Amino acid sequence: RSRLLGPNVTRLPDASAARGEIALTIDDGPDPAVTPAVLDLLDRHGAKASFFCIAARAATQPALTREILARGHCVQNHSHVHRHNFAMLGPRGYTAELERAQQVLADITGRRPHCFRAPAGLRNPFLDPVLHRLGLHLVSWTRRGFDTRERAPQRVLERLTRDLAAGDILLLHDGHAATTAAGRPVLLEVLPPLLERCRAVGLRCVTLTAALPPRRTASDA
């Protein structure tokens, strides 16, 4: 969540927070076994989310990726292949990875993402100039549930709701999700009580498209 390497959005803008909004962000999908159930739960609770999709995965699930938008959510850039050495890339590597993801996601959905999340949140000083040129906000999070490794839904829920406040950006995963002892994706167990908690304290889940204005590109400067 550091800002030493360039701008990094870890909370929604003040105006959004003043409206009682938070952002629920869901990474590493789309997953054909998990994402449809996530969409149904969000519909049931009247909540909107931002899906940071791995473009190569989205290319294998184009109809599901479009369904995310059709349900009123947004699709954002989580790189093309989610490389484990992402933080070791240089300018050419970042340009190739991000531009390819932008093009794939735009071809599928008809919309170019305006937010990017680095794999595992890791990066180096070469990333921000590429983001600036592509008009992409780097978006991290206020708090995360560690739901790719934590198998106890209650612990994930406690991490996400401790001191929960307007303007928070929450991180969960529909791809690479841990499962409970019963074999159910942790995300599907956490979402209902999380969304109920948000409703009870007067917080509204909105998309990053709604809350965050576009980032000016290098050509706008």
Side-chain angles (χ1 to χ4, degrees):
R1 295 188 298 163
S2 170
R3 292 178 174 83
L4 294 176
L5 302 180
N8 187 7
V9 179
T10 59
R11 291 184 56 80
L12 297 182
D14 290 344
S16 184
R19 294 191 294 267
E21 297 172 351
I22 65 170
L24 180 63
T25 64
I26 302 175
D27 285 15
D28 292 3
D31 184 294
V34 180
T35 308
V38 172
L39 294 174
D40 288 344
L41 285 171
L42 292 171
D43 279 354
R44 197 171 305 152
H45 289 268
K48 302 303 179 186
S50 302
F51 289 77
F52 280 90
C53 293
I54 299 171
R57 280 193 159 197
T60 70
Q61 300 290 329
L64 180 54
T65 305
R66 287 190 287 269
E67 182 70 11
I68 292 171
L69 286 178
R71 301 266 196 120
H73 312 290
C74 71
V75 170
Q76 303 295 351
N77 186 333
H78 195 35
S79 79
H80 184 250
V81 294
H82 204 272
R83 295 173 58 156
H84 294 298
N85 67 339
F86 186 83
M88 304 300 292
L89 298 181
R92 289 185 180 179
Y94 281 144
T95 297
E97 183 75 4
L98 271 64
E99 284 189 341
R100 187 172 184 188
Q102 285 289 91
Q103 190 60 57
V104 168
L105 294 172
D107 287 346
I108 293 170
T109 67
R111 302 181 192 177
R112 290 181 69 81
H114 81 302
C115 296
F116 172 77
R117 178 170 286 154
L122 302 177
R123 63 200 191 280
N124 66 43
F126 296 118
L127 179 61
D128 186 63
V130 178
L131 294 174
H132 186 201
R133 183 169 58 79
L134 295 176
L136 287 166
H137 290 286
L138 178 67
V139 176
S140 294
W141 51 83
T142 312
R143 67 195 75 242
R144 63 188 302 184
F146 293 97
D147 57 319
T148 58
R149 64 182 191 232
E150 176 60 71
R151 302 186 68 191
Q154 187 59 35
R155 291 177 187 166
V156 174
L157 182 64
E158 288 170 357
R159 292 186 182 113
L160 292 172
T161 57
R162 188 180 300 122
D163 300 322
L164 182 66
D168 282 356
I169 300 173
L170 307 184
L171 169 59
L172 284 160
H173 296 78
D174 56 347
H176 303 130
T179 57
T180 66
R184 183 169 167 80
V186 167
L187 172 62
L188 301 183
E189 295 293 322
V190 170
L191 267 183
L194 174 61
L195 295 173
E196 284 293 340
R197 173 66 180 275
C198 291
R199 182 194 60 77
V201 298
L203 297 175
R204 187 165 63 94
C205 297
V206 301
T207 67
L208 291 170
T209 300
L212 198 60
R215 182 179 184 182
R216 296 181 65 187
T217 66
S219 62
D220 295 327

